[in-house]
Amino acid sequence: MKEQIESIRAELEALAAGEGPAASSSRELYELKMEYLGKTGKISALSKGMRDVSPEERPAVGSMVGELRKRAEELFEQWERELKKKELSAKIAREKIDVTMPARFAETGSVHPVSLVRQELIDIFAGMGFDVFEGPEIEKDYYNFQALNIPADHPARDMQDTFFITGEYLLRSQTSSGQIRVMENKKPPIKVLSPGRVYRSDSDATHSPMFHQMEGLVVDRGITLNDLKGMLDEFARRMFSSNTKTRLRPSYFPFTEPSVEVDLSCSNCGGKGCRICKGTGWIEVLGAGMVNRRVLENCNIDPDEFTGFAFGIGLERIAMIKYGIGDIRLMFENDVRFLKQFKG
Ligand code: DAH
């Protein structure tokens, strides 16, 4: 019996002589503890064995067992403390927060460049007193062509490769149709913008079968080409930069007379000539002109009493110039790497 006690004590002291707690996890340590102090453990077995010890020896052996139990409890308590400390520092090391790591932000959407341009244009023109009118995308030939002085056999129809739905209905090829719809319903003074989608059977780096335009129309007594020029100057300065200049070149549209093509001084090189303006210093941005007498007559507005100007802006074209976008198709592919660049 005494030998048994000594050998168990020696086992424990050997464990105590090692470095750190006698086990590497709380679970292992618990199992080890049970091996000695559990109900069926080695030390409990000694207590049970007391029955077989002779009455004379019992007090001495009993106190040896008691001491052994005390020592064992002491050791396990110490190991448990050490192990807890070790596990805590391991946990702290594992869960250390690296404050220099880049934060993970929630992805937010961005406004499409065409929407940005549309909103900016509306802001600029609304500031000059324009209302907004949105006409239908499925339009009658009458509003898209005939009333705009483009009769059925007119060669100008070839300028726009139109998607016809029936002989009478088509996908509007220009927002100029909005002019007629407005003038049919309202008498001068008129100052209106008509933004929206338009469609043409055309597709390459600068043409898309669906794109956006914004039509502008001003009709009143005494409106002249000078008013158009002044308004375009203001638009160019607000949309691009305060030193942007405009230039009117003679052109032809059936619904305006005279008609002009409007160029802006290149905002990239300031007019000196660069890759973007193809060395000319000017960039063509829109078509405009004085509303043709026939168009006013078609809407029952007396052309001897009222005059007006109109203009049509391609929104993708403005976006391409403003943001330096080389291919119109980028705007319809919805690649987030492209779209993300227009946040705020
Ligand atoms: N509708 C023309 C186009 O799509 C643009 C245009 C030119 C509109 C002259 C106008 C204008 O109102 O006066 O090419």
Side-chain angles (χ1 to χ4, degrees):
M1 186 75 175
K2 280 185 187 162
E3 281 142 39
Q4 263 178 20
I5 295 171
E6 282 312 323
S7 99
I8 293 171
R9 177 183 275 278
E11 267 175 49
L12 284 170
E13 293 305 337
L15 285 172
E19 222 176 279
S24 55
S25 72
S26 348
R27 172 148 204 97
E28 258 178 61
L29 186 64
Y30 177 76
E31 274 161 19
L32 190 65
K33 187 177 175 181
M34 289 304 110
E35 212 177 286
Y36 290 92
L37 292 166
K39 261 193 193 138
T40 55
K42 292 176 184 173
I43 295 172
S44 308
L46 290 177
S47 302
K48 277 183 201 137
M50 289 297 290
R51 270 175 287 175
D52 307 326
V53 177
S54 65
E56 304 81 65
E57 282 186 305
R58 215 170 269 166
V61 174
S63 82
M64 276 178 80
V65 173
E67 261 167 48
L68 178 61
R69 178 178 290 277
K70 217 176 119 203
R71 175 67 180 146
E73 279 167 353
E74 224 173 70
L75 282 173
F76 278 103
E77 230 166 76
Q78 182 195 323
W79 290 332
E80 275 162 9
R81 248 189 339 252
E82 286 173 2
L83 196 60
K84 229 180 234 158
K85 232 169 145 186
K86 220 171 106 178
E87 283 177 345
L88 184 67
S89 40
K91 191 174 166 183
I92 289 170
R94 209 171 40 244
E95 294 177 359
K96 196 162 74 181
I97 293 169
D98 181 354
V99 293
T100 67
M101 287 244 297
R104 267 181 268 162
F105 291 106
E107 281 284 341
T108 54
S110 52
V111 182
H112 193 281
V114 171
S115 302
L116 284 174
V117 165
R118 177 193 150 108
Q119 197 47 55
E120 202 170 337
L121 282 170
I122 290 176
D123 285 348
I124 292 172
F125 286 107
M128 299 185 214
F130 281 74
D131 291 327
V132 173
F133 166 82
E134 290 185 63
E137 289 174 34
I138 295 175
E139 188 53 285
K140 281 187 164 170
D141 184 300
Y142 176 77
Y143 291 101
N144 195 82
F145 288 129
Q146 287 171 46
L148 286 162
N149 195 33
I150 314 175
D153 54 356
H154 199 287
R157 288 201 176 212
D158 297 342
M159 287 162 75
Q160 302 172 4
D161 292 315
T162 310
F163 290 112
F164 275 89
I165 297 168
T166 64
E168 191 186 1
Y169 285 94
L170 47 78
L171 291 178
R172 72 175 170 202
S173 62
Q174 51 185 353
T175 45
S176 303
S177 50
Q179 288 186 28
I180 308 300
R181 288 188 172 271
V182 168
M183 285 191 284
E184 265 188 356
N185 289 307
K186 192 175 184 295
K187 296 301 134 197
I190 291 169
K191 220 173 177 186
V192 72
L193 282 182
S194 189
R197 294 194 186 94
V198 297
Y199 301 83
R200 290 181 201 180
S201 178
D202 204 354
S203 183
D204 59 35
T206 52
H207 297 88
S208 163
M210 185 283 291
F211 61 105
H212 299 78
Q213 284 188 335
M214 188 161 319
E215 191 80 8
L217 174 72
V218 174
V219 183
D220 203 352
R221 289 188 178 86
I223 298 291
T224 71
L225 199 63
N226 230 3
D227 297 313
L228 171 66
K229 168 88 169 138
M231 192 216 62
L232 289 172
D233 285 344
E234 178 65 11
F235 148 74
R237 284 193 291 263
R238 301 267 308 267
M239 192 71 193
F240 294 94
S241 67
S242 57
N243 47 20
T244 305
K245 292 179 185 58
T246 61
R247 178 176 82 171
L248 306 187
R249 275 181 296 113
S251 185
Y252 172 75
F253 298 101
F255 33 89
T256 43
E257 183 58 38
S259 300
V260 294
E261 211 75 68
V262 181
D263 297 340
L264 301 186
S265 58
C266 179
S267 51
N268 187 54
C269 63
K272 285 198 273 302
C274 69
R275 183 182 55 85
I276 292 179
C277 57
K278 297 186 187 104
T280 64
W282 295 94
I283 299 177
E284 184 186 319
V285 287
L286 57 99
M290 297 305 292
V291 180
N292 193 305
R293 296 177 61 90
R294 290 216 191 149
V295 174
L296 294 174
E297 277 165 5
N298 288 341
C299 302
N300 291 318
I301 292 174
D302 181 356
D304 291 322
E305 189 180 354
F306 295 102
T307 53
F309 65 74
F311 56 93
I313 308 177
L315 301 195
E316 282 79 4
R317 179 145 180 79
I318 298 289
M320 288 171 83
I321 296 166
K322 188 161 173 142
Y323 302 118
I325 302 167
D327 192 319
I328 195 171
R329 289 167 291 204
L330 283 166
M331 282 188 267
F332 304 109
E333 282 166 359
N334 291 332
D335 185 329
V336 286
R337 290 171 301 178
F338 170 78
L339 296 174
K340 261 199 317 214
Q341 300 176 49
F342 299 94
K343 267 180 197 163

